[in-house]
Amino acid sequence: MAAGSSEDDEFFEKRIRPILAQRCWECHGADDGKRRGSLRLDSRESVLQGGETGPAVVAGDPASSLLVEAIKFESSQIEMPPSGKLPEREIADLIEWVRRGALFPQASTAASQKRGIDWDAGRRHWAFQPLTSRQADYDAWARAMAAGRGESVEAPRGQIDVHIRAALPGKGLAPSPAAPRAQLVRRLKFDLLGLPPTPEEAAEFVADAAPDAYERLVDRWLASPRHGERHGRYWLDLARYCDIPESWREGEARAYHYRDWVISAINADLPYDDFIRRQLAADLLPEAQPADNAALGFLGLSPSYWKELKLEPGVIKQIVADEWEERVEAIGATFLGLTLACARCHDHKFDPVSTQDYYALAGVLANIRQQDVAVVDAAVSAAAATARKRVKELEAELGKLRGRKPAEPGDDARIAALSTEIQQLKATPHFELPPAFGIADASLHVLPDGPNRTKLEYRPEPLDLAVQIRGNPNKTGTLIPRRFLTVLAPEPAARFVQGSGRRELAESIVGAAGPLTARVAVNRLWWRHFGRGFVTTPSNFGLQTARPAHGDLLDELARRYIATGWSTKALRRELVGSATYRQSSHPTAAHQEIDPDNDWLWRMPIRRLDVEAWRDAMLAVADDLDGRLGGPPADLTDTANRRRTVYGLVKRRELADILRLNDFPDPVAHSPTREPTTTPLQQLFTLNNPLLRKRSEALADRILRQAPSTDVERLDMLYAVAFSRPAESMEREAGLRYLAAMKQRGLAESESWTRLAQSLLASNEFLFVD
């Protein structure tokens, strides 16, 4: 059988095999007695060979594939499945599978099931092992590296440096000199706060000769509320955050409570284990405050699918099971770095995760209900909700009275009375504070409600799920108690008995699975500061992931992460304080030839700003940034919006152009990384979008207002503001020639400077950080 990349394999296992199993194999599987049209769809060879009508698929060419024609219902002669057209999402997945070459993973499901899972071998996987320390080795490396370093290379500042540098000589590499201070301060502020340094900050740091100048700057910026805004956004990528979820979601809840809670938790350095507990079970923790209920948005904001209750229960059960799958996958990928949804239809093809494991976790999620949750005291919240409801009723009546023609006697008095009552109600404490998206324990039951109709019923008693044969909720097998993953739990895995089991699940993630959870978290933090992780698949630490080259360092950092009380700021302080982080990004020809991708970190990588930092930097250099924290989102298409991009409006299904064109993740799914792209549309955006024009005008106005009167001094200020450095002689000369030419053409001074400012905002130097 042909095999593709691990990404292709994962796509097949998560998206394609369930469709084939549920929709196709009953009539086109291995059973000769049931097979129709001589067509088998259970291997790549049989799919390409086809049946009585010819090949089912032309690999890589959906337009020429009979399978695609059949599922799209484009031919009256071939429409599959006979029971009715597939959902559009499944059709799109099958078309994408054909486009990728209709690849099947190497091993068949049957072979995998016959083999079974070797639990002992699974537990020996490096990512599932206890954390170990290599302190003695680090001490030896430190002495060797300190003795042999060049004069321009900083001495090791800790275990990160001695470990990274120990591998370099064997590769014919050496660490790079320390970065220039002006470059370093720009790198650090973008990394910690997502903003460029002001000219004053850059100049102050360059001139500060105190030995602890850098450490003081790190501490200052880690204490800034801007830090949570910067790094909270990365967590929101994992959590599928959006401000406008599906239109059928009912209630008053607003998503921004979850976003603000994440930012606040990061700023407060909430221990990462508590950060996890609150997102899965804040309402069940005695120490949690009402404001922590917003953390439940991790599951409360999960994508939900429309359930048409005029359809039979079997259809609705499938939709509900799809929701459980999405949430199991989000929990596994985010906290454990495991692709758990692959086990819905069969034992995981690669990892020691059984189908029973999947339904043990899905059972937890079958016992929760998405609902509004209060972020203040429950009684206060209820009073505010009652007041809001009453105000809506009164405002409706008020509108009718004001619109009545002709007015009736007593209308004016009634209007005045209603207006007074509305104002009094609006004075109710927290009247303007809506609830958050959250969850509560309740088991979901999908029940018949007459012929071809369904009703959904939530009950207080928890339930366990039965295995769904091949992922089909209408064909069930053994009942599986709610519990944790077999391979990560102490033997035997204890049943979850406290309600839904959410709190027990959270405790298992940070307890029994603590080493894996810490490795995954440390890897994400390393990625944010060094451009790639120790493990290059940050949400997949399964058996296909080989132990990384710097696995010992990953383990040591994870061990101390737990030992310091899961303090993320302490770990981040160590990362950016290392000499490895502080080295130059300038490549040398010899080293570039040996290690062109900088896999061994002999220099600091040059990194591209994500769209949030890019837009925020434009606002900052124009001295036009609104520094308010939190609250409702603002439209990113509005050029008057001066708030940080993390507070921009994100819709589940429709992204603003600035986000869509600049690699913003899809809020429908968990997104562990952002893949940078370079496209003509991005360049057209920088040239023509009103945002760039507005920010360029503001930057030009700042230069003309604040800089001294000569063009040379203005140019120096422009470059200092935009790039944290003065203009070089060639740049200064080119700028002066341009200004003179524009003046000769009769262009207004403000317009000349606006165009010059826009050229800098659209430049690579503004977009990339050395």
Side-chain angles (χ1 to χ4, degrees), residues 310-515:
K310 295 180 182 179
L311 298 174
E312 63 179 0
V315 176
I316 305 305
K317 286 181 179 179
Q318 181 67 52
I319 296 170
V320 169
D322 288 347
E323 288 182 340
W324 296 338
E325 177 188 331
E326 190 281 332
R327 292 161 196 170
V328 168
E329 181 68 1
I331 289 172
T334 301
F335 302 122
L336 298 170
L338 294 175
T339 57
L340 302 180
C342 294
R344 175 180 172 182
C345 304
H346 52 80
D347 288 351
H348 199 296
K349 182 177 181 296
F350 310 114
D351 298 337
V353 179
S354 67
T355 305
Q356 289 78 10
D357 284 332
Y358 174 86
Y359 287 98
L361 294 184
V364 174
L365 300 168
N367 285 283
I368 65 170
R369 178 179 188 173
Q370 290 182 320
Q371 66 177 42
D372 293 2
V373 293
V375 291
V376 293
D377 180 78
V380 174
S381 179
T386 300
R388 287 193 296 271
K389 181 179 179 181
R390 179 58 179 157
V391 165
K392 286 183 180 179
E393 296 170 352
L394 296 177
E395 287 178 337
E397 183 180 351
L398 190 61
K400 291 179 181 179
L401 288 174
R402 286 174 171 167
R404 184 153 64 189
K405 303 294 182 183
E408 296 181 2
D411 280 358
D412 289 343
R414 180 59 180 160
I415 288 171
L418 288 173
S419 299
T420 299
E421 186 176 356
I422 289 171
Q423 292 305 312
Q424 291 172 342
L425 287 167
K426 286 186 175 181
T428 303
H430 297 295
F431 176 85
E432 298 292 343
L433 186 67
F437 284 97
I439 55 174
D441 277 3
S443 58
L444 174 59
H445 298 258
V446 180
L447 304 171
D449 191 27
N452 297 319
R453 293 182 66 89
T454 301
K455 65 178 179 179
L456 301 178
E457 188 174 290
Y458 286 94
R459 300 174 184 171
E461 303 83 13
L463 57 80
D464 290 323
L465 288 183
V467 169
Q468 298 173 358
I469 308 301
R470 291 180 174 177
N472 185 346
N474 298 296
K475 295 181 179 180
T476 57
T478 307
L479 199 68
I480 305 299
R482 302 185 305 286
R483 56 169 175 77
F484 196 46
L485 298 173
T486 302
V487 75
L488 296 176
E491 296 185 79
R495 297 184 60 166
F496 294 163
V497 295
Q498 300 174 18
S500 64
R502 286 184 287 127
R503 183 175 179 183
E504 293 156 294
L505 173 58
E507 294 296 345
S508 297
I509 289 172
V510 300

Side-chain angles (χ1 to χ4, degrees), residues 642-656:
R642 300 182 297 106
R643 300 202 67 196
R644 291 200 72 172
T645 312
V646 70
Y647 301 122
L649 183 69
V650 177
K651 299 180 182 179
R652 179 85 80 196
R653 307 284 176 179
E654 182 185 355
L655 293 176

